[in-house]
Amino acid sequence: MPLVFLSLDDTLLDRSGAFRLWAKGFLDEIAAPQDDLEWLVSVDADGLTSRWDLADLIRDRYRLRASTIDLVDELKNGPLTYERLDPMVGCALEIAADAGLVPLIVTNGPAEQEGRIRRTGLDRYVAGWVISEECGVSKPNPRIFAMAAQRVRMRLAGAWVVGDSPEADIGGAAAMGLPSVWVHRGRSWMDNRFAPTHVVGNVIQAISAIMATR
């Protein structure tokens, strides 16, 4: 029963899509030009920019009277209203579990990630999860994957890593000598230090690729 370590953002959940939908509505509310949508998406950097820094960038660009803390709260909660679990992803996870795979979420980020996992219903389809803020270590450090395996009392041998981050996910797999599947999201692989075992367009294809190797 091999483990499958799955990233959360832009792998299991379409975090970028939810942020884009929120950003479009937010720009409408503050009467900003919709041409600024790509600017807002780019400075968000797939969530890598801290909310505090992003809030300051937004306040400065649009000269808003809203406080930074209010904008941080909006950045935290606004995109969540658009975030949904694709039913096909849930179906793919069920099929994987029925086939003997053990899906586990390994995600970098704040402890509030657990709320997203439960609210979207992902908790019903995975054996568990590990969040970097809670365990004190982040991907690509192999320790976070080891902690995830310990949660379900399983060994790392034979595990797979699936995610969209070249460094955090595929780099983490490479550090452990594990096979991996990279969700490319329209990008080309650029890192010559290591490479994924498979390259796919979405997590459903990733699960299919893993099952095909069994």
Side-chain angles (χ1 to χ4, degrees):
M1 296 179 67
L3 292 168
V4 181
F5 298 118
L6 295 146
S7 184
L8 182 62
D9 287 342
D10 292 317
T11 299
L12 287 170
L13 295 178
D14 184 12
R15 188 264 176 200
S16 294
F19 183 87
R20 181 177 285 271
L21 287 171
W22 166 82
K24 186 177 186 303
F26 176 77
L27 292 174
D28 283 341
E29 284 184 17
I30 64 173
Q34 280 298 314
D35 289 347
D36 279 11
L37 179 61
E38 295 308 320
W39 171 81
L40 188 47
V41 169
S42 67
V43 295
D44 170 64
D46 284 343
L48 295 178
T49 304
S50 80
R51 292 189 186 121
W52 291 93
D53 289 342
L54 185 54
D56 284 338
L57 287 169
I58 292 170
R59 285 188 77 232
D60 291 346
R61 184 178 180 91
Y62 301 110
R63 300 179 182 179
L64 300 179
R65 293 183 178 179
S67 67
T68 297
I69 194 168
D70 286 341
L71 283 173
V72 167
D73 188 62
E74 175 66 18
L75 287 165
K76 174 183 175 181
N77 296 310
L80 297 182
T81 62
Y82 297 96
E83 193 169 68
R84 303 286 187 275
L85 174 64
D86 184 340
M88 295 302 293
V89 171
C91 183
L93 290 171
E94 282 189 325
I95 292 171
D98 289 343
L101 300 178
V102 181
L104 281 167
I105 298 172
V106 181
T107 179
N108 288 346
E112 67 197 45
Q113 302 280 59
E114 181 172 352
R116 296 171 60 208
I117 293 168
R118 293 188 182 280
R119 184 175 53 256
T120 58
L122 259 174
D123 59 313
R124 301 196 300 268
Y125 299 102
V126 296
W129 51 84
V130 173
I131 301 169
S132 64
E133 185 178 82
E134 291 184 336
C135 66
V137 62
S138 302
K139 298 184 292 184
N141 191 318
R143 286 177 52 211
I144 193 170
F145 297 98
M147 290 177 181
Q150 289 169 2
R151 291 276 173 95
V152 291
R153 300 181 180 179
M154 293 182 66
R155 306 175 78 175
L156 283 173
W160 285 77
V161 179
V162 178
D164 71 300
S165 171
E167 181 70 29
D169 299 312
I170 310 309
M176 295 181 289
L178 296 178
S180 59
V181 186
W182 183 50
V183 180
H184 63 71
R185 295 173 54 212
R187 301 164 295 172
S188 298
W189 184 261
M190 303 295 289
D191 201 318
N192 58 14
R193 296 172 299 165
F194 44 78
T197 310
H198 298 288
V199 176
V200 299
N202 57 56
V203 70
I204 297 171
Q205 294 171 0
I207 292 170
S208 296
I210 293 170
M211 292 179 64
T213 65
R214 302 194 67 202

